[in-house]
Amino acid sequence: MLCQYQNNWFPVRDFQGVLSCQKNFQANETDIILATMPKAGTTWLKALTFSILNRHDLDESPLLTSTSHDLIPFLELDTYRDGQNPGLENIPSPRIFATHIPYRVLPDSIPGSKCKIIYICRNPLDQFVSHRFFLLKNRLQPEQDPLSLDEAFEMYCDGIHPFGPFWDHMAEYFQAGLENPDRVLFLKYEELKEDIVSSLKKMAGFIGVPFSVEEEKQGVVEEIARLCSMKNMKSLNVNKDGKWNGIIENSSFYRKGEVGDWKNHLTGSMADRVEKILEEKLSGSSGLTFKNYFN
Ligand code: A3P
């Protein structure tokens, strides 16, 4: 079930956490915030960022025994879910948090401080399909029949989905990245898939810990890419078993991890519809386009 707040849609079960975070979170200059729409690649982004910052001993990486979500909490879904004062002051810097909160709903201290935001967005068609499988696997309201594909798609196109509308979510972070490139790094899932090494270098430079020539020679960047790859992460016991927050199967964060899987589930006219929505809604966001991924 969703509720609307400040022109965005939020899962009712997460809404208190959103409000509490918005009201209480105090960002530090050294914080790193990983912002995404659900199913845009959050789990991957968490693993990559954690590994960039903890690259001294990748053979013993905590990612081998803990999930990405255990290592980097969501502000609204974990940290502020149950309270207003989760005691974040003593976490050593840089603190890393994730969030699905739209840019305009963020706590003032995030845009107001010098902290860094890395945003990853994904072709909305793949994101929609990914979300659909995720919901079918994790029946959060088992007493209710899931929506049909057509019903869910209709709502998606109306912007009524968790943390949506998708077009505002991505356009606002995109704009923030254009205005403050030192503070907001805007990435696309598809670009990471295409060239993970360049993306890792970009991320490391952005958060102020670029890879040294020596590290590059030693293959550290490739090692991080391998550690965090879909194949490796999916094969780890910690990601095969157990549940996150007691309700979500850890394994459901890893499905196919492909670009263009929407073609196996949606029709060409559905794709045309989303393309038109994006053309209209993103017309003011020069440079943000997903055209290459629609056919
Ligand atoms: P698919 O359902 O298309 O396979 P999120 O982490 O935001 O919940 O997004 C989940 C999506 O990212 C899923 O997409 C999942 O398979 C994919 N994913 C998870 N880990 C990944 C990784 N290491 N590399 C690439 N894609 C990954």
Side-chain angles (χ1 to χ4, degrees), residues 84-279:
Q84 306 192 339
N85 183 9
L88 306 177
E89 301 76 24
N90 299 329
I91 301 178
S93 66
R95 306 184 301 180
I96 322 173
F97 300 106
T99 187
H100 292 319
I101 297 180
Y103 191 77
R104 76 173 84 148
V105 186
L106 286 174
D108 289 343
S109 69
I110 294 184
S113 86
K114 289 195 181 127
C115 71
K116 304 266 186 187
I117 299 176
I118 304 182
Y119 184 83
I120 187 166
C121 79
R122 188 178 189 187
N123 162 16
L125 297 171
D126 282 337
Q127 188 186 348
F128 170 78
V129 167
S130 179
H131 194 241
R132 173 132 188 101
F133 279 101
F134 184 77
L135 288 184
L136 292 176
K137 187 141 186 209
N138 298 289
R139 297 284 304 279
L140 300 177
Q141 289 166 296
E143 69 288 355
Q144 277 182 13
D145 284 340
L147 294 177
S148 69
L149 179 73
D150 285 342
E151 286 168 329
F153 186 73
E154 211 43 54
M155 288 180 71
Y156 192 67
C157 291
D158 286 339
I160 307 171
H161 58 97
F163 302 91
F166 60 86
W167 53 84
D168 281 344
H169 205 287
M170 53 178 79
E172 285 169 13
Y173 279 98
F174 183 74
Q175 188 58 32
L178 288 182
E179 286 168 14
N180 286 299
D182 296 341
R183 292 217 21 251
V184 182
L185 177 65
F186 188 93
L187 300 171
K188 281 188 181 156
Y189 178 91
E190 292 78 9
E191 288 168 358
L192 265 69
K193 287 286 295 184
E194 201 175 308
D195 187 349
I196 187 62
V197 168
S198 300
S199 302
L200 276 166
K201 288 184 192 170
K202 207 189 274 182
M203 288 167 67
F206 175 75
I207 54 181
V209 288
F211 295 104
S212 65
V213 175
E214 194 54 32
E215 283 180 314
E216 288 195 21
K217 265 198 213 140
Q218 286 167 355
V220 174
V221 192
E222 286 79 3
E223 216 181 314
I224 293 177
R226 233 179 346 264
L227 169 69
C228 301
S229 68
M230 177 80 182
K231 191 168 166 222
N232 189 43
M233 286 285 132
K234 200 173 177 173
S235 73
L236 298 173
N237 284 338
V238 66
N239 294 323
K240 282 187 191 163
D241 306 323
K243 291 189 172 180
W244 170 70
N245 269 349
I247 44 170
I248 309 277
E249 303 278 350
N250 285 332
S251 62
S252 66
F253 288 104
Y254 301 90
R255 195 179 62 95
K256 281 187 166 178
E258 286 173 6
V259 176
D261 184 45
W262 66 266
K263 289 176 202 159
N264 297 315
H265 306 281
L266 305 179
T267 63
S269 65
M270 287 165 132
D272 289 346
R273 184 154 166 212
V274 171
E275 193 174 3
K276 281 214 179 66
I277 292 174
L278 284 181
E279 262 170 30

